[in-house]
Amino acid sequence: MLRHLIVTVLALAAEPLQADGQPFRVSVIEAGAPVSQLVLGGNFGGEGPALFIVRVDAEGIRNGFLYPVDQGSVQPEPVRTMTIDTGAIVADVGRTPDGDAIVWITGDHIIQFDPWRDTVRHIGRVRSIYAVAVPTRIPRINFFRDLNDDGLDDLVIPDFNGYHVQVQRRDGSFSDPVVLEAAPHMDLSYENFPGFQPRSLFIADMNGDGRNDAVFAMKEGLRYYAQQADGTFLSRPSLITLPRRYDFSGREELALRLRNEDQSDLELTGIYQVRDLDGAGGPELVTLTLTSRGVFRKETTYNIYPGRIDGKGQVRFAELPTSILASRGYQFDTGEKDLNGDGSIDLAISSIRLGIGKIVGALLTGSVDFDLDFFPMIGGRYEDAPAISRKITALIDLSSGEIFFPFVVMTDLDGDGHLELLFQDGSETMRIYRGRPGPGLFDTKATLVKVPLPGDPELVELADVDGDGYQDLVMRIEAAGSDSRVVVLMTRRPGAETIRAD
């Protein structure tokens, strides 16, 4: 049975929230005037679970607030407040032997920060592509993550040559930096300012030694940096040539190409993913072909080629794909997760089919539907048609032309190995479809949760806020002209007392 939810709302006063007619337990703290917020959760320094919130006001002043988490609730008052004056440009949080740690990147330094003691530790120097601070925000970038599967998070920082990598050791120290050379993509804005997008970094075992390597798609083939026995990576790459050259490598380069090219008669094929999808040990090569014959005539196709390790200790990909997933319209995002706990990766693909009728309907209703299609892997391949589909509604601001895409999250809320599907339905309703065994993947009937929701899917994150091993939902409310809040939906720990949401 789906575990119950506790909703902790950071606001000034408690007010009842409804989910299918039943109230949640609410605890409160509010940011006040509109501000941007950075929210990092973790067991910082082993002091117990807590939320660290950095608020950046209109003048760019950055203040940090530390809220302990106790018995399934965020405490209503901070136990520490501080001014953040480290020159932080971006931030992330990750695992260390002594608990979780916050890391800032400044213009030229990597700094580990302890919010309980308001102290910093200099880890090293870096010239990342995140070279200029955003005056009103500290973005969170996923650069502190486990690259070598040892349970500790490593520094994987995009720089102007590729990626600056420092592997974390068992004592909490970091290895000397290694640069994985793979230059980022550069684009010029309308004012001719350069912008940089890191090249897609794929993780896969490319030589059959049982260790995942760092892989980049380049014009000459797949460049990979082998992982060594101590968890570090070689500084010199190996190359696997492919039978053809591709137009792009990763979704970032595809987006840049589409921005700058005439789409009235266009066909692009590129490398979209390199990953072990079927759990058999060798990676699959996933290519994406986008065919455009104008605004309303687009087709997208994923081709999936299985890979196996040859006698020379390198991966070789099949000449023909085992799975072909095609659709009319534009497939703009994919989710890759083991939805049913069978050890293989299932796909969730978002797509929208444009047409005159859809545009007219959008102008009349202020909304447009897109499809969320699910392809479970069965017998080492994906069926041509999705096993199930869900309609998701995007809202259109008819005055500004901006499109609001609701958030979609897949996570295991009840610990049974089957992921639940959560998505936004309007500004105050979330639908939860329980995961279940079999090709259906999810229940057909949703549980409705009434709670304030953000106006941007990027303001929604998964984090284990209370340290119970289950992912919680953290949402930042930053609507212009209203008070800023943080809404945390916490999954219930076994034995905790709370009001049932279902």
Short mmCIF file of all heavy atoms in Angstrom, two decimals, residues 49 57 122 153 171 254 265 299 320 337 415-416:
data_model
loop_
_atom_site.label_atom_id
_atom_site.label_comp_id
_atom_site.label_asym_id
_atom_site.label_seq_id
_atom_site.Cartn_x
_atom_site.Cartn_y
_atom_site.Cartn_z
N PRO A 49 19.28 14.99 10.08
CA PRO A 49 18.67 15.55 8.87
C PRO A 49 18.25 17.00 9.09
O PRO A 49 17.78 17.38 10.16
CB PRO A 49 17.47 14.64 8.60
CG PRO A 49 17.18 14.00 9.92
CD PRO A 49 18.48 13.86 10.62
N ASP A 57 17.55 37.99 -1.97
CA ASP A 57 16.54 39.03 -2.14
C ASP A 57 16.81 39.86 -3.39
O ASP A 57 17.76 39.59 -4.15
CB ASP A 57 16.44 39.92 -0.90
CG ASP A 57 17.71 40.72 -0.62
OD1 ASP A 57 18.53 40.88 -1.54
OD2 ASP A 57 17.88 41.18 0.52
N HIS A 122 38.55 24.58 1.77
CA HIS A 122 38.93 24.71 0.37
C HIS A 122 39.40 23.35 -0.15
O HIS A 122 40.35 22.77 0.38
CB HIS A 122 40.01 25.77 0.20
CG HIS A 122 39.51 27.16 0.40
ND1 HIS A 122 39.16 27.99 -0.65
CD2 HIS A 122 39.25 27.86 1.53
CE1 HIS A 122 38.73 29.14 -0.16
NE2 HIS A 122 38.77 29.09 1.15
N ASP A 153 30.17 10.52 -3.20
CA ASP A 153 30.00 11.42 -4.33
C ASP A 153 31.31 12.09 -4.71
O ASP A 153 32.15 12.42 -3.85
CB ASP A 153 28.93 12.48 -4.00
CG ASP A 153 27.54 11.86 -4.00
OD1 ASP A 153 27.31 10.93 -4.80
OD2 ASP A 153 26.69 12.29 -3.21
N ASP A 171 38.37 8.37 3.22
CA ASP A 171 38.59 9.25 4.37
C ASP A 171 37.99 10.64 4.16
O ASP A 171 38.18 11.52 5.01
CB ASP A 171 40.08 9.37 4.68
CG ASP A 171 40.88 9.99 3.53
OD1 ASP A 171 40.27 10.31 2.47
OD2 ASP A 171 42.10 10.17 3.69
N LEU A 254 21.69 18.94 -29.82
CA LEU A 254 20.50 18.93 -30.67
C LEU A 254 19.72 20.23 -30.51
O LEU A 254 19.28 20.83 -31.49
CB LEU A 254 19.61 17.74 -30.34
CG LEU A 254 18.26 17.69 -31.06
CD1 LEU A 254 18.43 17.64 -32.57
CD2 LEU A 254 17.42 16.52 -30.57
N ASP A 265 13.13 21.66 -44.13
CA ASP A 265 13.53 20.41 -44.78
C ASP A 265 14.81 19.94 -44.10
O ASP A 265 15.91 20.22 -44.55
CB ASP A 265 13.75 20.61 -46.27
CG ASP A 265 13.97 19.29 -47.00
OD1 ASP A 265 13.75 18.23 -46.39
OD2 ASP A 265 14.38 19.32 -48.18
N GLU A 299 8.78 14.24 -37.29
CA GLU A 299 8.80 12.86 -36.82
C GLU A 299 10.08 12.63 -36.04
O GLU A 299 11.15 13.14 -36.40
CB GLU A 299 8.73 11.87 -38.00
CG GLU A 299 7.43 11.95 -38.79
CD GLU A 299 7.39 10.94 -39.93
OE1 GLU A 299 8.40 10.21 -40.09
OE2 GLU A 299 6.38 10.89 -40.63
N LEU A 320 22.11 -3.63 -36.66
CA LEU A 320 20.68 -3.32 -36.75
C LEU A 320 20.11 -3.10 -35.36
O LEU A 320 20.50 -3.78 -34.41
CB LEU A 320 19.93 -4.45 -37.45
CG LEU A 320 20.34 -4.74 -38.89
CD1 LEU A 320 19.57 -5.95 -39.42
CD2 LEU A 320 20.11 -3.52 -39.79
N LYS A 337 14.27 4.93 -16.25
CA LYS A 337 14.24 4.38 -14.90
C LYS A 337 13.76 2.93 -14.95
O LYS A 337 13.04 2.54 -15.86
CB LYS A 337 13.29 5.19 -14.00
CG LYS A 337 13.77 6.60 -13.66
CD LYS A 337 12.74 7.31 -12.80
CE LYS A 337 13.21 8.71 -12.41
NZ LYS A 337 14.31 8.67 -11.43
N GLY A 415 8.32 1.73 -1.14
CA GLY A 415 9.39 0.76 -0.92
C GLY A 415 9.15 -0.62 -1.49
O GLY A 415 9.84 -1.56 -1.10
N ASP A 416 8.20 -0.78 -2.43
CA ASP A 416 7.92 -2.10 -2.97
C ASP A 416 8.68 -2.40 -4.26
O ASP A 416 8.47 -3.44 -4.88
CB ASP A 416 6.41 -2.27 -3.20
CG ASP A 416 5.87 -1.35 -4.28
OD1 ASP A 416 6.62 -0.47 -4.76
OD2 ASP A 416 4.68 -1.49 -4.65
#
